[in-house]
Amino acid sequence: MLLGVAVLLGGVAPGAFAADPLADGVIAPDVSIDGIPVGGFTIDAARRAVIDARIVPHLAPLVLSLKGRRLSIKPAAAGYAVDLDQTIDTALTYGRAVPVIAPVNVPLAQTVNRARLRTVLKYRASDIELTPVDAALTFRKARPRVRPPRVGTLVDIAKAVPVVADALIARNIVQVELPVRRLRPARMTVGSSVVVSRGGRVLTLYRETKRVKTFRVAVGTPRYPTPRGLFSIVSKQRNPTWIPPDSPWAKGLGPIPPGPGNPLGTRWMGTSASAVGIHGTYAGGTIGSAASHGCIRMHIRDSEWLYERIKVGTPVLII
């Protein structure tokens, strides 16, 4: 009698505990894709559910921010892709090739082409970056004005690529704050400048916008006027030798070596105006008058003082 019961149980037990076979194209119970329950769904139904709940939101533009300045990128254009077919094929293996012994969540097969993302970030970064700006000098009413420098705020592309790639896949934040790279301007200060007033016969040295010192000078005669305009210092020389310029008034005059007879004194500061410079003179009585052939003359000691405080490139405004 016991044997009969055992045989009976042995014959019915497998059928009593066997799961019903899965229909073709139907996902097994207790299977989810990226947290979306798709157990018992057909392939088409699972596809629609994943597209609506995950892929559509993932393909929405992603907002990037750099210190409050924003732009958006299109994920597909930036290298983001989803392989939904592969994901569903993986989900279909459960309950078939792979037994389902507990709830299963199949991750969405997502990738980001980082080379393409890098290209997009580099191209779009200029929309929100602040490029460095050098300090610049201008003049208003014969006085220097300084535009201050600005440190550049740039996107650190190397650091941004993995941050944005992770955000494209996770999509768990509203916007991505991009890593910053700061770049100092090449020119932080404008230094000195010189303003020469022909009418006032004075030369003023400025440091940035601050007046440092003013000197009485001689300027060109009406026949050989000192030119107006914005120039710069292009050469400097101690104890120069005077070489006569190619001009009728200097014809027949030979080079004059350094010394008391030299019309350039002990210092020469040549400007970008042709054959015009700032220099000393032993003829101190001409200071304050229109007496030169276009140059700006200074007392010897004044020219030596100025020489030490300006450099090649210093702006010279003559008004």
Side-chain angles (χ1 to χ4, degrees), residues 48-156:
R48 287 194 297 271
V50 175
I51 289 174
D52 291 344
R54 290 292 183 268
I55 296 180
V56 170
H58 273 75
L59 292 178
L62 178 65
V63 178
L64 309 179
S65 175
L66 184 70
K67 296 296 181 181
R69 300 179 296 278
R70 295 178 178 83
L71 63 81
S72 63
I73 59 172
K74 294 180 179 179
Y80 172 80
V82 178
D83 192 336
L84 185 54
D85 289 339
Q86 176 187 327
T87 303
I88 292 177
D89 286 346
T90 300
L92 287 169
T93 63
Y94 289 95
R96 294 178 172 84
V98 181
V100 179
I101 57 177
V104 175
N105 185 48
V106 178
L108 195 61
Q110 305 173 87
T111 59
V112 176
N113 183 324
R114 296 198 174 196
R116 187 171 179 181
L117 175 59
R118 181 183 182 87
T119 299
V120 169
L121 289 177
K122 289 178 68 175
Y123 177 74
R124 294 295 308 282
S126 60
D127 294 344
I128 55 174
E129 289 179 324
L130 290 179
T131 56
V133 175
D134 290 342
L137 178 71
T138 58
F139 290 90
R140 183 180 180 186
K141 295 183 179 180
R143 291 185 65 88
R145 294 289 182 268
V146 176
R147 182 188 67 192
R150 184 183 71 193
V151 175
T153 305
L154 309 180
V155 176
D156 190 326

Side-chain angles (χ1 to χ4, degrees), residues 163-234:
V163 171
V164 177
D166 290 347
L168 286 170
I169 289 176
R171 294 310 290 260
N172 56 355
I173 53 178
V174 176
Q175 68 180 31
V176 178
E177 184 65 29
L178 294 169
V180 174
R181 181 169 63 91
R182 297 191 179 279
L183 187 62
R184 284 173 59 86
R187 189 180 186 191
M188 294 295 292
T189 63
V190 299
S192 300
S193 62
V194 171
V195 176
V196 177
S197 169
R198 302 189 313 171
R201 280 72 181 272
V202 294
L203 178 152
T204 302
L205 174 68
Y206 289 91
R207 170 68 65 177
E208 300 278 342
T209 59
K210 181 181 179 182
R211 185 182 70 83
V212 178
K213 199 168 184 179
T214 297
F215 304 93
R216 294 287 290 168
V217 297
V219 296
T221 64
R223 185 176 179 184
Y224 300 102
T226 301
R228 293 177 183 268
L230 179 59
F231 308 99
S232 63
I233 299 297
V234 295

Side-chain angles (χ1 to χ4, degrees), residues 249-306:
W249 69 265
K251 190 173 183 179
L253 301 177
I256 300 176
N262 190 306
L264 302 183
T266 61
R267 299 291 186 271
W268 166 259
M269 293 156 274
T271 75
S272 53
S274 179
V276 173
I278 303 168
H279 62 81
T281 180
Y282 291 103
T286 64
I287 299 300
S289 67
S292 76
H293 291 89
C295 287
I296 298 102
R297 296 179 183 176
M298 304 181 72
H299 288 295
I300 295 294
R301 64 181 181 277
D302 292 344
S303 67
E304 292 175 347
W305 187 94
L306 181 65

